[in-house]
Amino acid sequence: MTTAKNTAKDTIETMTTASNEALKDGFEKSMNAVNEFSAFHKDSVDAVIASSTTAAKSIEELNAANLAFAKKTMEDGMTAAKSMAGAKSVQELIEIQSDYTKSSMDALLAEMNKSSDLMSNLFKDSFKPINERFSAALELMQSQR
């Protein structure tokens, strides 16, 4: 009978030890997962901040370029108006107007290309940190399979 009690006691101790080890391993895995999630979340928040900062700087640059273009356009218009006011003939007036229109259109096209490049860089640079986080999220999901 003592042998049966000892066997039962040993079995219960073995089960208890195995249960405690399984519980401990599960808790450690859960804590590691929580720590990984926290680190991932922090990196994601940092990416959003970096993205916002880059977008704000790019928008400032775009606004400064637009303001400079508007100022130059006004100055060129005033210069052209003075030249037109001083024209001595209708032919000279038409030539001044034609030159001004051509230079204005060339400047506008150049400014549109510049603005297009700035906008393209704004989107590319500001979304880069977020795209990297999406890639990291996909990698993390694939590694958890």
Side-chain angles (χ1 to χ4, degrees):
M1 193 80 154
T2 24
T3 315
K5 283 183 183 179
N6 286 340
T7 303
K9 182 181 177 186
D10 290 343
T11 302
I12 291 172
E13 286 179 5
T14 302
M15 286 175 47
T16 303
T17 303
S19 176
N20 287 342
E21 286 297 319
L23 184 63
K24 180 183 170 188
D25 288 346
F27 182 75
E28 287 176 358
K29 287 180 182 178
S30 295
M31 287 307 297
N32 286 338
V34 167
N35 288 337
E36 286 178 19
F37 177 75
S38 294
F40 184 83
H41 180 67
K42 180 194 175 299
D43 291 343
S44 295
V45 169
D46 290 345
V48 169
I49 291 170
S51 177
S52 298
T53 302
T54 301
K57 287 179 183 176
S58 296
I59 290 170
E60 280 181 27
E61 185 179 347
L62 184 63
N63 285 339
N66 287 339
L67 185 61
F69 178 72
K71 181 180 176 185
K72 183 178 181 330
T73 300
M74 291 290 268
E75 290 170 354
D76 291 348
M78 292 301 293
T79 302
K82 288 178 183 175
S83 295
M84 284 184 240
K88 295 183 171 76
S89 68
V90 173
Q91 181 63 34
E92 185 182 356
L93 177 67
I94 292 172
E95 287 176 13
I96 293 170
Q97 175 62 35
S98 177
D99 290 343
Y100 171 70
T101 302
K102 182 184 180 319
S103 67
S104 293
M105 290 304 294
D106 289 344
L108 178 63
L109 290 174
E111 189 64 24
M112 287 174 62
N113 286 334
K114 181 181 174 182
S115 292
S116 176
D117 289 343
L118 287 173
M119 288 298 290
S120 175
N121 288 337
L122 180 147
F123 284 108
K124 181 181 71 171
D125 294 343
S126 65
F127 283 109
K128 183 179 178 185
I130 293 173
N131 286 338
E132 290 172 354
R133 293 312 306 151
F134 276 116
S135 295
L138 288 175
E139 289 176 14
L140 182 63
M141 284 188 267
Q142 289 174 348
S143 71
Q144 299 299 318
R145 287 185 178 180

